[in-house]
Amino acid sequence: MLKIAWRNILRNKRRSLLSLVLILISVAVLFLLRGYFSATYDGLELMAINQYSHLQIAKEGFWNEGSEERKILSSEDINKITKILDAKEEVIDYTNTLEIAGILGTEDRSTIVSGMGIETDNGQNLEIKSGTKLFAGDETRVIVGEGVRKKLHLKVDEWVSIMATTIDGAYNAGSLQLSGSFSVGNDDADSHYIMMPLSFAQTMLNTDGVDNFKVMLSDTELTDSTIQELKREFKREGLAVEVRSWRDLANFYHQVKGLYDTAFFFLSILVFILIFMSILEIMSMSFFERMGEIGTIRAIGTRRSQVFVQLIEEALILGIIGGIVGVALGWGAGVIINNLNITYTPPSSGAVPLYIKLALNNGITPFFIIILATTLSALYPALKASRLKVVEMLRHV
Amino acid sequence: MAIIKLENLSKTYSSQVEEVQALKNINLTIDKGDFIVVNGPSGSGKSTLLNLLAGIDEASLGDIQINNISLSSLSDRERTELRRNKIGLVFQYFELIPVLTAWENVEYPLLLQKVSKSERRRKVDRILEQVGLSKMAQRLPSQLSGGQKQRVAIARALVTDPEIVLADEPTGNLDTKTGEKIIELMLNLNREYNVAFVIVTHDLFVNKYAQKLIEIQDGILKIKEVNEYA
Ligand SMILES: Nc1ncnc2c1ncn2[C@@H]1O[C@H](COP(=O)(O)OP(=O)(O)OP(=O)(O)O)[C@@H](O)[C@H]1O
Ligand SMILES: [Mg+2]
C-alpha cells in the first residue's frame, strides 16, 4: 500500500516537487538558524566560563543584592576551602579575587573604576592592547581597560594613584604603575575595568580575605555534579558559603539564549503554519482530484481507515524525504557559509565571525516540526476524503 | 439457490427542490450463477439498483438480503468487508487505479484480503490469462485500450472469486465489436466460475445473452424473459 502512496506522489511530479521544495527550504532554514544559534550559545558559554570560571565560591549572601556589609571570605574560610578544592581531582585550577571600587587618577585627570585584585600568576584571559599583562611577583602594577587608558592619557610604566574605602569605611589611597591595557571585547567594560595584584587590593581594603574562589574544572559537564559535592563538603565543614555555576552568574548568557530561543520558537511556529497551510492546500487539491479514484477503491472493498492511512502516508513520505534532504541541504549551506568567513559587527563590540554549528542534533527539531506540519495538514483532507459517501465520490468522475 | 433477495425495495432521492423516486417497490431474486441483463432508459433507476446491491448506497424502504443477511443490519465496515469478499464491481469508465499496472490492479483486491504473495501471483496470472491480457500485465492503464482496460477491470472483479459481479454499462464506452467480446468473456466466466452477473446496459445486443432479462422504467422493475440454459 505504501507503493500506491509513493506512486501517487510521483504521479503529479510538479505538485509533489513544489511541496518538497517548500518543505526542504523550511527545514534547511530552520537547521541553519539552529546551527547559528547553537554556535552562538557555544561562544557565549566559552565567554562566560572565561569570565566567571566554571564555578565560584563566595560567602553566604555575597550575591544578594542590597546587602549592607561586604561579605568576604576570611582567611580561615580560605584555608578550609583550599583544602577541599585541592582534594578534588576534577578541579584543575582556582584563583581568588577581590573587587575594589575606587577612583583612578593622574595629576590632572581621574575616573571611577571597578577594580579587581587577581592572583597575578594566573592566566589573564584578556586581549592585551598595549604593554604587558601582570606577572607573578608584581606587587604595585596595574593593567587597565583600553578605555580607561585613553581617558587618563596613560602611558606604560606611568604611575597612577588609586583611592578607595576600606572595608571598615576608612579612606585609603595607593599608587600603581601601569603595566598595560586590555580589552574584554566590550567598550563599556573597557572604560572602567582595571586589574591589580590581589595583595594590593587586600591592602587597599584593609583585609586578608577575598571575595571568592574562581574554580576551573577539567570538563564543563562536571559543573553541576561538582557543585553538589562541594556544597555537601562545605556544609560538613560548617562553612557559610555559597557556590554558583557560570550559568548562574552569566546573565548575558541567559538573556541571549532566552532571546534566541524565543526567536527560534516563533520562527518555528511561522514555518509550521506556512508548511501546514500550503500542504493543506496542495493535499486538498490532490485528494479532490482523485475523488473518483478514492470512491472506486472504497467500492471494491478498501476500508475507510485504509484510505485514510494511504493518504496520510503520502504526506508522511513527503515530510520524511523533505526533512532528511532539507537537513542535508542545510548542512551543505552551512559548510559553504562557514567557508565564506563572513563576519558581522554587533554594536559596541568587535567583528564576530558568522559561524554555523553543524550537528545532526540541530536537525532534529526542524525535522519533527516538518513531519508534524505535513502530517497534520493531510489529516483533515484525508479524514474528509475517507468519510465521504462512496456513491457520491463515484459520481464525481 | 438465491444469493440475493430484494423485498419491496424503494429508493427516494430528496433534494431541496424535489423528491425523485428512483426505485419503486422492487422485488427480485438473484440465484447463484445467474446472468441477468438490466435494460431501461436513461434515468430509470438502473444505476441506483446496482448501487443498492453493492451496498454503497442505502435503500429508503424495503430490504436487501445477501446470503440471508440483511444489508441494512450491517455497519459500514461490514459492508466494505462484504464488497471485498463477495462482490465484484465493473464500471462504465473502467475505474482502474492509474498508478498501478494491469497486474497490480488485479492484485489489489487480493492485497485487501491479505492473500499470500505466492497465492496472489498464481491467481492474478491465471485470471489475466483468461481475459487474454497476460502480455499486457506490466502496462499502466493509460497504455491500454478501452477494451483492454475493461478486461483488466473484469479480472479485478473476479480475482477474489466473488459470488456476484455487478457491472454498470460495462460496454458503454466500447465499440460494438469490443463490447460483444467483453460480454462473451463475462458469459464464459459466468459459466466457468458459476458466478452470478448483473449487467446494466443500453446495448441491445447484450440481451440475447441474458438468462434473465429485466427492464426498469421509471423505477418500476419488470422481468421480461427467463431463458434456461443447459
Ligand atoms: N444523488 C441523487 N440525487 C438526486 N437524484 C438522483 C441521484 N442519483 C440519481 N438520481 C435520480 O434518480 C433517477 C435514477 O437515476 P439512475 O442513475 O439510477 O438512472 P440510470 O437508469 O442509471 O440512468 P442512466 O442510464 O442514464 O445511467 C434519475 O431520475 C436521477 O436523476
Ligand atoms: Mg446509470
Side-chain angles (χ1 to χ4, degrees):
Chain A
M1 294 292 150
L2 211 61
K3 177 171 68 184
I4 298 180
W6 174 242
R7 290 203 194 154
N8 272 321
I9 289 173
L10 291 184
R11 167 149 61 153
N12 198 326
K13 290 207 181 66
R14 185 132 57 97
R15 186 155 54 202
S16 301
L17 213 63
L18 178 73
S19 322
L20 214 56
V21 165
L22 228 62
I23 294 172
L24 253 141
I25 292 175
S26 311
V27 175
V29 165
L30 284 183
F31 175 79
L32 285 174
L33 213 62
R34 241 195 128 74
Y36 167 64
F37 286 172
S38 62
T40 308
Y41 297 159
D42 287 356
L44 288 173
E45 183 177 315
L46 221 64
M47 208 161 113
I49 292 169
N50 210 330
Q51 186 173 345
Y52 297 101
S53 299
H54 282 118
L55 59 94
Q56 294 191 6
I57 304 159
K59 197 84 184 164
E60 208 167 69
F62 175 78
W63 284 291
N64 288 1
E65 285 188 27
S67 82
E68 299 272 298
E69 59 183 305
R70 183 106 186 238
K71 308 279 188 184
I72 282 188
L73 293 169
S74 67
S75 52
E76 192 191 338
D77 294 335
I78 296 172
N79 286 338
K80 283 184 182 170
I81 294 170
T82 306
K83 212 182 263 164
I84 291 171
L85 289 180
D86 283 342
K88 286 230 159 302
E89 209 175 300
E90 60 270 31
V91 172
I92 52 170
D93 195 12
Y94 57 86
T95 178
N96 297 126
T97 61
L98 182 64
E99 269 175 43
I100 168 171
I103 296 173
L104 195 69
T106 60
E107 265 167 33
D108 33 41
R109 282 172 239 272
S110 68
T111 184
I112 293 174
V113 289
S114 147
M116 179 82 81
I118 58 165
E119 292 178 319
T120 48
D121 56 346
N122 211 279
Q124 293 140 48
N125 287 322
L126 301 163
E127 188 191 345
I128 296 297
K129 290 290 211 182
S130 65
T132 63
K133 61 173 195 155
L134 297 175
F135 295 103
D138 283 349
E139 279 176 8
T140 54
R141 287 177 79 82
V142 66
I143 51 175
V144 301
E146 181 65 8
V148 175
R149 190 190 67 77
K150 283 189 179 145
K151 208 182 288 179
L152 299 180
H153 298 276
L154 293 176
K155 288 188 210 57
V156 172
D157 288 339
E158 191 176 340
W159 285 85
V160 285
S161 52
I162 179 163
M163 288 162 277
T165 27
T166 66
I167 290 187
D168 330 299
Y171 168 78
N172 203 355
S175 294
L176 288 160
Q177 193 180 16
L178 189 75
S179 183
S181 64
F182 62 83
S183 166
V184 294
N186 178 315
D187 294 344
D188 189 39
D190 289 346
S191 68
H192 62 269
Y193 275 8
I194 69 169
M195 289 185 188
M196 67 199 76
L198 178 62
S199 54
F200 188 91
Q202 284 175 323
T203 314
M204 283 299 290
L205 295 184
N206 190 27
T207 177
D208 54 2
V210 298
D211 279 327
N212 56 19
F213 277 73
K214 292 184 171 175
V215 182
M216 288 302 285
L217 304 175
S218 53
D219 187 351
T220 307
E221 299 281 303
L222 294 172
T223 306
D224 291 336
S225 60
T226 309
I227 287 176
Q228 292 313 316
E229 285 172 32
L230 285 176
K231 276 184 176 166
R232 265 198 303 277
E233 289 174 45
F234 291 157
K235 202 166 173 189
R236 204 177 308 136
E237 286 294 319
L239 280 162
V241 295
E242 270 182 65
V243 188
R244 295 217 169 161
S245 70
W246 61 272
R247 221 182 249 112
D248 300 332
L249 295 164
N251 258 329
F252 63 86
Y253 180 82
H254 296 286
Q255 281 163 0
V256 176
K257 193 168 192 307
L259 189 73
Y260 279 12
D261 281 349
T262 315
F264 187 77
F265 177 73
F266 279 108
L267 274 161
S268 301
I269 288 187
L270 208 73
V271 166
F272 182 90
I273 292 173
L274 179 85
I275 291 296
F276 179 84
M277 296 304 266
S278 5
I279 303 289
L280 178 71
E281 192 61 30
I282 292 170
M283 285 293 165
S284 301
M285 208 152 59
S286 153
F287 295 171
F288 186 76
E289 281 171 16
R290 278 186 278 153
M291 206 61 100
E293 214 175 300
I294 297 168
T296 308
I297 61 169
R298 286 275 291 122
I300 63 175
T302 313
R303 280 195 208 118
R304 286 182 198 282
S305 57
Q306 289 171 313
V307 169
F308 176 78
V309 167
Q310 194 203 308
L311 296 179
I312 290 290
E313 272 170 3
E314 286 182 31
L316 203 60
I317 291 173
L318 277 180
I320 290 174
I321 295 177
I324 292 172
V325 180
V327 170
L329 188 80
W331 194 295
V335 169
I336 294 172
I337 291 172
N338 288 345
N339 279 323
L340 285 178
N341 290 320
I342 304 168
T343 60
Y344 63 100
T345 311
S348 77
S349 166
V352 179
L354 178 66
Y355 178 72
I356 310 276
K357 185 177 180 183
L358 300 172
L360 227 42
N361 248 346
N362 293 331
I364 293 173
T365 320
F367 183 79
F368 282 106
I369 287 173
I370 287 305
I371 298 285
L372 201 70
T374 43
T375 314
L376 282 183
S377 65
L379 207 64
Y380 176 69
L383 201 66
K384 211 169 130 186
S386 66
R387 290 270 133 199
L388 280 177
K389 283 195 163 167
V390 180
V391 247
E392 261 142 48
M393 284 193 277
L394 281 173
R395 201 175 303 128
H396 200 86
V397 195
Chain B
M1 191 179 72
I3 46 174
I4 299 188
K5 250 194 230 155
L6 309 186
E7 279 168 5
N8 304 322
L9 195 73
S10 294
K11 174 71 184 177
T12 310
Y13 292 109
S14 3
S15 64
Q16 291 100 315
V17 199
E18 50 170 357
E19 287 208 338
V20 180
Q21 236 202 322
L23 290 177
K24 296 171 192 162
N25 212 23
I26 297 218
N27 288 287
L28 180 68
T29 303
I30 301 171
D31 292 318
K32 194 163 174 60
D34 263 355
F35 198 78
I36 299 177
V37 175
V38 182
N39 283 170
S42 188
S44 56
K46 307 182 295 294
S47 295
T48 304
L49 178 65
L50 278 201
N51 290 343
L52 291 177
L53 285 173
I56 56 175
D57 203 355
E58 279 164 42
S60 311
L61 279 175
D63 194 20
I64 300 178
Q65 292 198 337
I66 298 187
N67 293 333
N68 289 323
I69 298 164
S70 166
L71 257 189
S72 57
S73 71
L74 299 181
S75 67
D76 181 79
R77 196 186 167 115
E78 287 166 328
R79 266 180 279 151
T80 305
E81 216 73 11
L82 188 83
R83 286 199 297 278
R84 176 189 295 181
N85 298 320
K86 300 265 193 275
I87 299 173
L89 292 176
V90 177
F91 307 87
Q92 179 174 357
Y93 295 99
F94 326 124
E95 311 291 355
L96 299 177
I97 303 170
V99 293
L100 298 183
T101 63
W103 201 93
E104 289 164 340
N105 261 285
V106 178
E107 183 197 23
Y108 183 84
L110 297 176
L111 283 172
L112 293 177
Q113 289 185 330
K114 307 216 158 39
V115 173
S116 76
K117 192 169 178 154
S118 57
E119 184 75 356
R120 290 202 306 266
R121 191 170 300 144
R122 194 182 63 75
K123 285 190 160 183
V124 175
D125 284 344
R126 182 176 135 91
I127 194 86
L128 275 178
E129 165 109 55
Q130 267 180 311
V131 300
L133 276 183
S134 297
K135 289 206 186 75
M136 315 272 172
Q138 294 316 316
R139 290 203 191 175
L140 287 171
S142 56
Q143 300 162 328
L144 296 172
S145 72
Q148 288 164 344
K149 277 189 234 184
Q150 201 59 301
R151 283 167 195 270
V152 175
I154 291 167
R156 178 176 70 181
L158 277 161
V159 74
T160 55
D161 299 316
E163 297 199 6
I164 184 165
V165 172
L166 306 172
D168 196 351
E169 307 199 25
T171 58
N173 264 294
L174 304 173
D175 59 74
T176 314
K177 221 175 119 199
T178 314
E180 214 154 337
K181 286 225 178 83
I182 290 291
I183 297 295
E184 271 165 21
L185 173 67
M186 290 192 180
L187 196 63
N188 289 337
L189 293 166
N190 160 256
R191 298 212 179 129
E192 180 169 344
Y193 290 94
N194 204 24
V195 191
F197 273 76
V198 178
I199 300 170
V200 165
T201 184
H202 282 300
D203 291 334
L204 294 176
F205 72 82
V206 184
N207 292 357
K208 65 174 178 278
Y209 301 100
Q211 185 181 16
K212 279 183 194 161
L213 184 62
I214 286 172
E215 184 160 288
I216 301 186
Q217 232 161 26
D218 285 333
I220 294 168
L221 181 144
K222 269 187 280 183
I223 299 180
K224 294 234 312 215
E225 53 180 276
V226 178
N227 302 313
E228 290 302 330
Y229 294 106

